[in-house]
Structures are given as C-alpha cells and as structure tokens.
Amino acid sequence: MSKKSERREQHKVKVRKQLYSYIFVGIVGLVFLILGITGVIGNFLEYNDYKNSEEITTVQAEVTYSEVKERKDPNGTVEMYWDAKLTYSVAGQKYKGEKEFSTATKTGDIRETEVYRSKNGGYKLPKIKGFEQLIIADIMMIVSIGLGAVLFLIGLIMAIGTGKELKKIIKAGLKGD
C-alpha cells in the first residue's frame, strides 16, 4: 500500500469518526428538543385541566411523609420548604399527592389543601394554578427546546458537510488518484 493511499485511508477513518460525532450531537439535540416539547405540552395540559375544572374544593389531607429541603430565592437568601406526600379523601374515595409547604410539616399532620376534579373524574392537587406559574414551570422546558434545536441544527449541518467530504474521499479512493 502506498503512502498516499495510507494517508487517504487514515483521513477517511478520521472523517468517518467526525461524522459519527456530529450525528451523535444531532441525536442529543433531538432528545432535548423532544423532552422540552413534551414538558411544555404536559404543563399546559395540567394547567388547562385545573382551569377548566368543574369543582375546586378544600379538603383535610394527612401528611404521610415530609422532608425538609432548601433553595435560594432570587436574592440569594436560603429558604427552607417542606416537600410532603399527602393522602386525602373526597366523596369516600382516597387519593394521594405531593405538595410543598413553607411552614414546618411533619408526618401525621393534617393540612387543609385545595384539590380539583380532573377530566377523568378523580381529584388531584393542583401543580399549576395560574398562567404565571405555567410560564415559570415552562422556563426550563423552553431552554431545553432552544438548546435541542441549536444542537440538532449544528449536528445536522456538520454531518451533511462531513458526509459530502467522506463521499469525495471514497470517490477519490475508487479512482485511484
């Protein structure tokens, strides 16, 4: 094998690896894009279900599990909140859900909480009550859509260019130049 054909073969292997890398970037971008779109649609359906509910009521819910967590507010101050799992009954039917509380909450506590009748007839704890909450819940999803679109386009454009280059290399190798 001549030096020129060895260099051509090494270059072909290198370009093929680049092509696979760009395809991988495109696939990752597509995954982010799909997850973001799915999240936005899911949040909108959740908000719409609450907004169009025929019945919104307050019930007594029992805390079955509670965990103290911390997060920073926009000013950088650390705030504590309690992530709780609840059980509640409406019309003799038992339901489970999760809710955050800003005051100390421990297992066994009874808390008044709002529930709504969903489209399927069951009662749920609202996660998104207003349009402002919907926008806030969608921020990460929108970032995911943007990032996914950029990665997908970059991967696609680079893969197309690299694919063309690979075809030229293969064609030149077949000619024996």
Side-chain angles (χ1 to χ4, degrees):
M1 196 182 241
S2 70
K3 293 245 184 215
K4 190 174 185 180
S5 60
E6 282 181 29
R7 283 194 306 263
R8 185 180 295 124
E9 189 61 32
Q10 288 174 348
H11 185 61
K12 184 168 78 172
V13 168
K14 180 182 171 189
V15 170
R16 189 171 278 143
K17 285 181 182 179
Q18 284 178 335
L19 179 63
Y20 294 149
S21 296
Y22 296 140
I23 290 172
F24 178 75
V25 168
I27 290 170
V28 168
L30 195 58
V31 167
F32 273 105
L33 193 61
I34 290 169
L35 289 175
I37 291 170
T38 304
V40 167
I41 292 170
N43 285 343
F44 178 76
L45 292 174
E46 186 81 27
Y47 165 69
N48 207 31
D49 194 27
Y50 175 77
K51 186 178 82 169
N52 295 327
S53 178
E54 295 176 9
E55 183 181 354
I56 299 174
T57 186
T58 303
V59 297
Q60 299 291 319
E62 180 181 355
V63 178
T64 57
Y65 175 79
S66 179
E67 182 179 355
V68 180
K69 295 185 176 183
E70 294 180 348
R71 66 177 156 225
K72 290 186 178 179
D73 67 10
N75 300 327
T77 307
V78 175
E79 63 181 15
M80 293 174 52
Y81 67 97
W82 285 258
D83 194 18
K85 293 185 180 182
L86 308 169
T87 58
Y88 53 95
S89 295
V90 181
Q93 183 85 18
K94 282 201 170 248
Y95 298 95
K96 293 180 180 181
E98 294 183 28
K99 186 173 180 178
E100 288 182 6
F101 293 98
S102 58
T103 57
T105 303
K106 63 183 187 303
T107 303
D109 285 354
I110 304 294
R111 293 293 188 105
E112 275 196 8
T113 189
E114 182 180 84
V115 296
Y116 69 97
R117 179 182 281 166
S118 65
K119 284 185 240 177
N120 67 7
Y123 286 84
K124 295 170 69 175
L125 295 167
K127 293 179 184 156
I128 302 172
K129 293 182 180 183
F131 188 72
E132 298 82 17
Q133 286 179 319
L134 177 63
I135 298 300
I136 292 169
D138 281 347
I139 288 174
M140 287 308 292
M141 306 304 166
I142 293 167
V143 168
S144 177
I145 290 170
L147 177 65
V150 167
L151 287 175
F152 178 73
L153 288 174
I154 288 172
L156 182 66
I157 292 166
M158 297 301 287
I160 289 170
T162 306
K164 287 179 181 178
E165 182 182 348
L166 186 59
K167 282 183 183 178
K168 285 181 185 175
I169 294 168
I170 292 171
K171 196 181 249 186
L174 294 174
K175 287 182 180 178
D177 291 309

